[in-house]
Amino acid sequence: MKKDQSRIIREQAPRSATREHSVPLYLTSSFIFDNAEQGRAIFADEEEGMIYSRYANPNTSEFINRVCALEDAESGLAFSSGMAAVFASFAAFVENGDHIVSSRAIFGSTHQLLTQLLPRWGVTTTYVNSAKISEWENAIQENTKIVFLESPSNPGLELYDLKKLGQLKKKYPNIIFSIDNCFATPYLQKPLQYGFDLSIHSATKYMDGQGRVLGGVITGNKSLMTKLMFFIRHTGPAMSPFNAWTLSKSLETLGLRMDRHCSNALAIAKALEKHPEIISIRYPFLPSHPQYKLAQKQMKAGGGIVTLEVKGGQERAFQFIDALKMILYTSNLGDSRTIATHPGSTTHSKLTDNEKTSLGISPGTIRLSVGLEDLEDILEDILQALEVTK
Ligand SMILES: *Cc1c(COP(=O)(O)O)cnc(C)c1O
């Protein structure tokens, strides 16, 4: 099977003796060995087999295999949350004295990891706040171990050129090139194809897509995964079988859902582009986006996030959010329900005004995570909230 959708739907944990059609939930902490010799052989890696759910479980393996099919990856590992995955993607590879190059526009907790936690173990980070490849290359030092980024960025929706970064990787083969691919999902963007070593996801977002469970996943080549596996086995950020079962089921509809998230988001961006109460609107597949051409090259569609700036600064932004009737305010994203957030006072509130501006966040900035409701209803809610707060 070559097509994504067929591969993820048909990739399934081995059928048990019960001959079930849909995969059961394997709530078991460990697995029995038929005899002492088998126990020895499995522990010695001479025979394949499950040992303990901190290492692997049929539900987590099925989830991982499905993500690998989507990402065209050799191998993958699942984590209890997106942050557990992001942390492991650094901690499994860096040593005291190592250096990381990262895009400045990254998820808040990742920023805390890089600036507050990793320095405790002697690992430093240089931020790059530019899409220019020369600036990325300039930031690389003798001791750089990892180059890390998110694309599109949150909430500015700035893109990085994955093909050019893949070429930079060729020039620095010993550096791990790693991307948090959460906003795009592997349905819209496949970074490993450009030469990236690791693709990381918070599965909590679009992979679940219904705001139910936390999860994280990393895909990449086998040799890096072996090192990551060592880290997981002995530090324990394993995904629970229940979460894996839930997420694996969700992946069967990822493509369908993403198509709808993207078409709703594009339609909303287009409909609001000329609205007199809106100063600016950002969406990667809107021709007015400064990197529209790049977006079309490396993404199948523009994603489910639209970032806009309302007139009237923070006061108006707050009034707008409070005037929404259907759309709810929560810090999550990638849900079937449309969500509005005010990054300046929540997810990015710890930044200085200069830092906010450089990431495209102004007092009037609103991030919309466009859901799967009928387009007319989402649009109507936004338009009425703009109208009553004029
Ligand atoms: C939510 C998110 C994370 C963290 O994932 P959790 O599952 O909440 O731990 C990391 N990166 C990005 C881009 C995210 O949106």
Side-chain angles (χ1 to χ4, degrees):
M1 277 177 281
K2 289 208 177 68
K3 297 284 186 195
D4 281 1
Q5 194 59 29
S6 317
R7 285 166 73 190
I8 46 175
I9 287 180
R10 291 292 166 171
E11 172 64 51
Q12 193 162 320
R15 198 159 279 133
S16 79
T18 314
R19 294 178 289 103
E20 70 279 351
H21 182 211
S22 183
V23 172
L25 183 48
Y26 287 90
L27 286 182
T28 178
S29 48
S30 71
F31 301 85
I32 51 161
F33 306 117
D34 290 339
N35 50 57
E37 168 51 25
Q38 188 189 42
R40 185 206 63 78
I42 291 178
F43 262 87
D45 277 335
E46 291 168 14
E47 194 179 311
E48 275 202 11
M50 304 263 166
I51 297 175
Y52 194 58
S53 286
R54 170 149 44 81
Y55 302 180
N57 169 286
N59 293 121
T60 54
S61 296
E62 179 190 280
F63 167 67
I64 292 164
N65 290 340
R66 286 182 169 186
V67 179
C68 285
L70 267 173
E71 288 265 23
D72 275 331
E74 265 177 32
S75 180
L77 286 166
F79 297 81
S80 55
S81 71
M83 281 324 298
V86 173
F87 178 62
S89 78
F90 297 132
F93 302 108
V94 290
E95 288 171 24
N96 190 311
D98 281 345
H99 175 252
I100 295 169
V101 172
S102 168
S103 57
R104 177 62 196 87
I106 48 172
F107 188 68
S109 291
T110 308
H111 171 64
Q112 300 299 341
L113 260 183
L114 292 174
T115 57
Q116 305 296 322
L117 290 168
L118 288 176
R120 288 195 202 165
W121 297 294
V123 176
T124 53
T125 297
T126 301
Y127 279 136
V128 179
N129 199 9
S130 164
K132 276 204 204 115
I133 297 300
S134 58
E135 301 227 3
W136 285 82
E137 186 161 15
N138 286 343
I140 291 176
Q141 305 175 3
E142 200 89 316
N143 56 344
T144 301
K145 193 56 110 12
I146 296 173
V147 168
F148 175 85
L149 58 123
E150 292 177 19
S151 181
S153 71
N154 173 24
L157 301 179
E158 190 175 342
L159 310 185
Y160 296 100
D161 190 324
L162 301 187
K163 190 170 165 205
K164 287 191 180 152
L165 284 160
Q167 286 160 355
L168 191 64
K169 158 73 195 180
K170 283 216 184 87
K171 213 167 150 188
Y172 298 90
N174 295 329
I175 300 178
I176 297 169
F177 276 57
S178 173
I179 178 169
D180 182 332
N181 198 25
C182 167
F183 264 44
T185 80
Y187 179 71
L188 300 181
Q189 177 169 287
K190 300 184 198 298
L192 301 179
Q193 290 181 345
Y194 299 99
F196 274 77
D197 298 294
L198 300 176
S199 179
I200 308 168
H201 295 273
S202 164
T204 315
K205 311 294 168 48
Y206 290 104
M207 285 195 182
D208 176 41
Q210 289 144 91
R212 301 170 299 186
V213 296
L214 296 180
V217 59
I218 302 182
T219 60
N221 69 46
K222 272 224 169 74
S223 70
L224 289 179
M225 284 310 138
T226 306
K227 282 192 179 159
L228 264 174
M229 185 65 200
F230 176 82
F231 183 86
I232 291 196
R233 275 193 179 202
H234 306 299
T235 58
M239 176 180 275
S240 89
F242 176 77
N243 287 14
W245 180 84
T246 309
L247 289 164
S248 191
K249 278 279 150 218
S250 286
L251 285 181
E252 294 179 9
T253 56
L254 179 71
L256 283 174
R257 289 184 286 106
M258 290 316 293
D259 284 343
R260 171 82 165 221
H261 280 297
C262 295
S263 64
N264 272 356
L266 177 62
I268 282 168
K270 279 188 175 156
L272 298 178
E273 201 175 12
K274 303 259 149 57
H275 196 286
E277 295 303 307
I278 289 178
I279 297 173
S280 66
I281 189 150
R282 275 226 164 182
Y283 185 69
F285 267 47
L286 212 51
S288 61
H289 189 289
Q291 294 163 302
Y292 174 64
K293 282 217 178 90
L294 178 62
Q296 301 238 312
K297 252 195 261 168
Q298 65 189 32
M299 296 174 77
K300 187 173 182 171
I305 308 290
V306 176
T307 303
L308 53 92
E309 185 183 354
V310 291
K311 277 188 184 161
Q314 175 162 316
E315 195 184 343
R316 172 72 179 286
F318 276 25
Q319 288 167 352
F320 169 78
I321 286 176
D322 293 342
L324 290 167
K325 289 180 176 156
M326 177 186 81
I327 298 169
L328 297 174
Y329 189 10
T330 164
S331 62
N332 196 22
L333 63 94
D335 196 279
S336 51
R337 290 152 289 195
T338 301
I339 294 164
T341 49
H342 183 255
S345 64
T346 59
T347 50
H348 294 73
S349 57
K350 304 282 187 311
L351 303 182
T352 64
D353 286 348
N354 273 346
E355 284 177 315
K356 285 183 193 171
T357 310
S358 76
L359 299 183
I361 304 167
S362 71
T365 296
I366 308 266
R367 186 189 74 193
L368 283 176
S369 166
V370 179
L372 306 179
E373 303 96 336
D374 290 300
L375 174 62
E376 296 75 13
D377 289 322
I378 307 172
L379 201 51
E380 187 184 297
D381 198 16
I382 296 170
L383 292 175
Q384 69 78 23
L386 286 172
E387 188 61 30
V388 298
T389 56
K390 241 192 333 209

